[in-house]
Amino acid sequence: MDNIPFEVRAYLSTSDSIAVAQLAERFPDLNATLTNPTVRAAVLAWLADDDAWNEANTHFTLNALRYLRSAAAPAEAQAIRPFLLHPQPSVRLAAYEFLLTLYYPDKNREALLQLLQNMLSDSEDAIRAAGARYADQADVAAELRSFLLRWQKTAQGQGWANTESFELVGRLLN
């Protein structure tokens, strides 16, 4: 984390808009620093380290993924994909959304469909529901119909019948 400038570490350590405004006042070049490719590379390098998986760093990891999403590049996908396995659902969702930025809505249709299927298969209902909403927004229900029909049957056996994702998938199928 030492390669990440202090002001960027402070920025990625908070979600408080007042704290961010204070940082911007204290560091007038903060926006330029955040868009610096060297800083971006340092954040990506930190994400590749085991520290990014430490439970104590979950908030920082989540904010780092959100920060990177704004200028997501296909070459970065390899560094982000492992976070689809993170134990914290919020981190997994941020990783999914980073990858969706690369594929959505028609930049890479096959990758988008696979990613949505993975989201719908996640153990966390919030991620499954987000996957269903993204599938609706991308208008891919017809392409995913056979998957969604099987998903609906499987979901009942998983105990997901009374979840938001189950309701949303039902809407997609109608």
Side-chain angles (χ1 to χ4, degrees):
M1 196 179 298
D2 293 339
N3 293 337
I4 301 172
F6 170 81
E7 63 269 33
V8 175
R9 288 194 316 260
Y11 175 85
L12 295 176
S13 295
T14 187
S15 297
D16 182 336
S17 58
I18 294 172
V20 169
Q22 290 172 338
L23 280 170
E25 189 174 301
R26 184 172 167 203
F27 299 98
D29 293 335
L30 180 60
N31 284 335
T33 304
L34 289 169
T35 59
N36 183 315
T38 305
V39 170
R40 188 174 183 85
V43 172
L44 281 162
W46 182 81
L47 285 172
D49 191 77
D50 285 342
D51 281 347
W53 291 80
N54 184 323
E55 188 177 337
N57 294 329
T58 298
H59 185 74
F60 191 90
T61 301
L62 176 61
N63 284 343
L65 291 168
R66 289 176 176 163
Y67 152 73
L68 292 169
R69 181 180 176 198
S70 65
E76 299 168 342
Q78 185 174 344
I80 304 305
R81 276 191 201 100
F83 290 96
L84 298 177
L85 300 172
H86 198 278
Q88 289 297 320
S90 58
V91 172
R92 289 197 310 273
L93 182 58
Y96 277 119
E97 289 178 335
F98 177 97
L99 295 169
L100 281 169
T101 300
L102 297 177
Y103 310 141
Y104 187 87
D106 58 0
K107 296 174 189 167
N108 184 338
R109 194 71 163 182
E110 282 305 310
L112 172 66
L113 294 173
Q114 184 61 54
L115 194 62
L116 292 172
Q117 289 175 34
N118 291 350
M119 289 180 80
L120 285 162
S121 301
D122 196 273
S123 61
E124 182 68 30
D125 188 55
I127 295 174
R128 294 191 308 269
R133 283 191 290 279
Y134 282 121
D136 185 37
Q137 291 170 5
D139 196 26
V140 296
E143 291 169 85
L144 290 176
R145 185 162 183 79
S146 62
F147 173 83
L148 295 173
L149 287 167
R150 177 54 51 198
W151 182 94
Q152 200 172 43
K153 291 175 184 174
T154 304
Q156 289 177 339
Q158 296 280 348
W160 298 348
N162 294 321
T163 63
E164 181 182 11
S165 59
F166 192 83
E167 180 183 333
L168 292 171
V169 168
R171 287 183 200 165
L172 283 171
L173 288 168
N174 289 333

